[in-house]
Amino acid sequence: MYQTESSWGSYVQPRGFGGDPLERIERLASENAVVIFSISTCCMCHAIKRLFCGMGVNPTVYELDEDPRGMEIERALMRLLGSSTAVPVVFIGGKLVGAMDRVMASHINGTLVPLLKEAGALWL
């Protein structure tokens, strides 16, 4: 696995992860405080990354269109969410928060910041 820094946070491209896509998602999601599964050309993904970075959070971002097995993960995320659209999908503290609608609802109703603090992604 290698990791590079960018203005959006940490982009990680997993290497050599075999097995069940849902197990892979669970493993990747639990490795960092905030994990975003994204597609680099998706405007909603861009907005979610912007939201977290604007809050001072450094999310780990998995760009599925840059992963050779990204389509498998995307299909597994759709099954997990019960939705026809998979990205962006956000995990905080290893727990599924959800897609754009759930993250924005949490932000608006004031529950997002406590989740981030509990996961160690925010200190203020």
Side-chain angles (χ1 to χ4, degrees):
M1 179 183 313
Y2 69 88
Q3 185 168 338
T4 58
E5 296 295 320
S6 76
S7 61
W8 293 121
S10 301
Y11 287 87
V12 179
Q13 183 172 11
R15 289 188 175 170
F17 284 129
D20 179 60
L22 288 173
E23 289 175 9
R24 185 174 177 209
I25 290 167
E26 184 179 324
R27 186 152 120 221
L28 295 172
S30 67
E31 291 176 346
N32 295 285
V34 178
V35 174
I36 302 171
F37 289 91
S38 170
I39 292 179
S40 61
T41 58
C42 168
C43 64
M44 299 311 262
C45 297
H46 176 81
I48 280 289
K49 292 181 267 190
R50 188 99 177 148
L51 170 70
F52 283 107
C53 290
M55 296 173 76
V57 174
N58 187 26
T60 298
V61 178
Y62 292 98
E63 296 291 358
L64 299 179
D65 57 328
E66 297 173 6
D67 184 333
R69 297 188 57 203
M71 286 297 285
E72 285 178 43
I73 293 174
E74 189 173 358
R75 284 191 295 271
L77 288 167
M78 285 188 275
R79 286 194 313 271
L80 190 63
L81 294 172
S83 171
S84 62
T85 56
V87 293
V89 177
V90 176
F91 288 82
I92 298 176
K95 297 175 187 160
L96 174 65
V97 174
M100 181 77 162
D101 57 341
R102 297 291 305 261
V103 173
M104 292 309 293
S106 296
H107 181 53
I108 291 166
N109 72 23
T111 59
L112 184 60
V113 169
L115 278 176
L116 292 168
K117 286 181 181 176
E118 185 180 319
L122 280 180
W123 294 272
L124 299 176

